[in-house]
Amino acid sequence: MEVTNVTEYQAIAKEKLPKMVYDYYASGAEDQWTLAENRNAFSRILFRPRILIDVSKIDLSTTVLGFKISMPIMIAPTAMQKMAHPEGEYATARAASAAGTIMTLSSWATSSVEEVASTGPGIRFFQLYVYKDRNVVAQLVRRAERAGFKAIALTVDTPRLGRREADIKNRFVLPPFLTLKNFEGLDLGKMDQANDSGLASYVAGQIDRTLSWKDVKWLQSITSMPILVKGVITAEDTRLAVQNGAAGIIVSNHGARQLDYVPSTIMALEEVVKAAQGRVPVFLDGGVRRGTDVFKALALGASGIFIGRPVVFSLAAEGEAGVRKVLQMLREEFELTMALSGCRSLKEITRDHIMTEWDAPRTLPTARL
């Protein structure tokens, strides 16, 4: 059966992967209300397409932090990709590079920054978790910079790991033949079996709960790479991020894996965009499965989007070819959405191309008697 959309890869991945691995990738926190809402919220935003516009030539290209990419669709950091496929992050890096877009490598990757850099050219960002031992952090940031990574995506929504009940039931642990490659030499690469989730125990032991805005300043003092703050969903934190020198904001609820009952990212997006006032670019992470979703995010002011689960599910199904296909399908759907909405470039996508539940009703001119 030919795969014709991104969502179809999830069922294939479920068949192929061990239950513990599939559940780790697929599940959200607690009741998983936000997990469903990340998807459902997109369906409540409708289009206002403009017609009779020459759409024979469409340009999807854009720049992110000064780097030119082929489309505003990028790869979010997802941990432990070798659980999905033996080539793991190598395959994802090659697929992103072939598509002319950015890959974000997770701190908890099963391939190191150096290994991913060795796959060839490409624009890559590094997602950072801040460990209690700051020497570990400083060393990791330096390694990423040396390996040619272009930015840090600092995850700020994880002082503690969210309660993911599937991982507790499955006693989730990184399979013994794999390691968190970036930490291998630091004796932090292995995850012990725990009486709940092995990852939750690892986070409790290693990740710094004292992390605050002063640490964003500290990070700037040890690297010249721009810092994207990943996990902002309010206007208040957007203003603080800008004040503290963030180069950009990723609106994210961690794939609905941290605090349940936060809004979907597409619902939080406009609040963040308005608070940023154009001072820094704002990106959206979470729930994107269609080209129409990409368009909606851009219409609400995002400069681009990141996909996470579609990458690991397609990787599990078809390896590098699967990730390439996901990026290609999203690209083609997005281009079609632009054409059918009457937009020839990203700058032509406006707020007027969509309508949302919270828009003021568009009043019709009163009919003359």
Side-chain angles (χ1 to χ4, degrees):
M1 262 270 287
E2 191 193 349
V3 172
T4 54
N5 65 63
V6 168
T7 304
E8 286 173 352
Y9 276 117
Q10 182 160 355
I12 301 170
K14 188 172 187 176
E15 268 181 22
K16 280 201 166 184
L17 292 171
K19 181 174 168 28
M20 180 190 80
V21 172
Y22 173 79
D23 286 353
Y24 169 72
Y25 290 142
S27 62
E30 296 185 353
D31 298 329
Q32 304 192 109
W33 181 85
T34 298
L35 183 67
E37 178 66 6
N38 267 357
R39 281 297 308 127
N40 294 339
F42 278 104
S43 68
R44 301 195 297 271
I45 298 170
L46 304 181
F47 291 124
R48 301 183 68 250
R50 301 300 307 275
I51 48 147
L52 293 174
I53 293 166
D54 174 355
V55 289
S56 56
K57 288 191 185 66
I58 293 185
D59 178 15
L60 276 66
S61 68
T62 188
T63 56
V64 169
L65 302 181
F67 299 100
K68 194 161 173 45
I69 55 174
S70 68
M71 57 181 176
I73 301 164
M74 299 166 282
I75 293 182
T78 49
M80 310 177 229
Q81 291 179 13
K82 282 187 181 176
M83 294 195 307
H85 188 274
E87 291 179 16
E89 294 84 2
Y90 288 76
T92 302
R94 290 191 295 259
S97 182
T101 193
I102 292 164
M103 172 197 183
T104 316
L105 182 71
S106 169
S107 275
W108 296 337
T110 36
S111 315
S112 68
V113 288
E114 293 84 3
E115 288 172 333
V116 169
S118 79
T119 62
I123 304 156
R124 302 186 185 104
F125 293 172
F126 181 69
Q127 176 271 336
L128 182 67
Y129 280 119
V130 177
Y131 280 58
K132 290 173 182 171
D133 183 343
R134 292 310 162 87
N135 294 325
V136 166
V137 180
Q139 205 178 108
L140 195 52
V141 168
R142 275 197 293 275
R143 279 172 57 198
E145 201 157 4
R146 264 205 307 274
F149 283 70
K150 301 300 185 205
I152 294 286
L154 176 68
T155 297
V156 294
D157 57 12
T158 313
R160 298 172 58 173
L161 202 71
R163 183 177 172 82
R164 306 164 190 179
E165 292 176 8
D167 291 350
I168 297 169
K169 283 184 169 65
N170 295 331
R171 300 280 186 265
F172 174 80
V173 70
L174 182 65
F177 56 91
L178 294 174
T179 59
L180 302 179
K181 261 295 203 287
N182 288 316
F183 300 98
E184 202 173 34
L186 302 158
D187 278 344
L188 295 166
K190 282 290 180 197
M191 200 178 293
D192 301 321
Q193 191 76 51
N195 58 8
D196 54 356
S197 152
L199 185 63
S201 301
Y202 180 86
V203 168
Q206 300 302 334
I207 302 303
D208 194 343
R209 295 184 186 184
T210 73
L211 190 70
S212 69
W213 290 108
K214 71 176 182 330
D215 299 291
V216 178
K217 292 279 194 214
W218 170 74
L219 211 49
Q220 287 167 330
S221 76
I222 65 161
T223 182
S224 59
M225 287 185 286
I227 295 161
L228 296 168
V229 179
K230 178 175 183 281
V232 171
I233 52 175
T234 64
E236 296 90 324
D237 284 333
T238 302
R239 288 189 281 268
L240 285 167
V242 173
Q243 280 162 28
N244 284 281
I249 288 166
I250 303 173
V251 176
S252 172
N253 53 33
H254 209 118
R257 294 157 74 81
Q258 283 299 100
L259 181 62
D260 200 13
Y261 298 100
V262 293
S264 66
T265 48
I266 193 70
M267 289 293 146
L269 176 61
E270 199 163 34
E271 173 179 331
V272 171
V273 166
K274 283 176 173 166
Q277 295 181 322
R279 291 172 293 186
V280 297
V282 174
F283 305 95
L284 175 125
D285 163 84
V288 173
R289 301 291 180 272
R290 284 279 188 191
T292 49
D293 300 335
V294 181
F295 187 101
K296 289 169 184 180
L298 268 64
L300 285 167
S303 294
I305 64 93
F306 288 89
I307 49 166
R309 287 187 184 87
V311 171
V312 288
F313 292 148
S314 59
L315 188 62
E318 292 171 7
E320 181 186 335
V323 182
R324 281 180 183 239
K325 181 146 191 201
V326 156
L327 291 167
Q328 187 58 30
M329 285 189 295
L330 284 174
R331 181 191 175 89
E332 286 172 2
E333 288 180 11
F334 177 51
E335 185 175 10
L336 181 59
T337 306
M338 284 178 67
L340 297 179
S341 295
C343 301
R344 294 162 294 198
S345 66
L346 303 190
K347 67 175 190 301
E348 290 190 349
I349 301 174
T350 69
R351 185 62 173 77
D352 288 331
H353 283 99
I354 57 163
M355 49 183 162
T356 69
E357 299 158 316
W358 61 90
D359 289 345
R362 289 172 185 278
T363 48
L364 294 169
T366 9
R368 287 209 178 86
L369 292 176

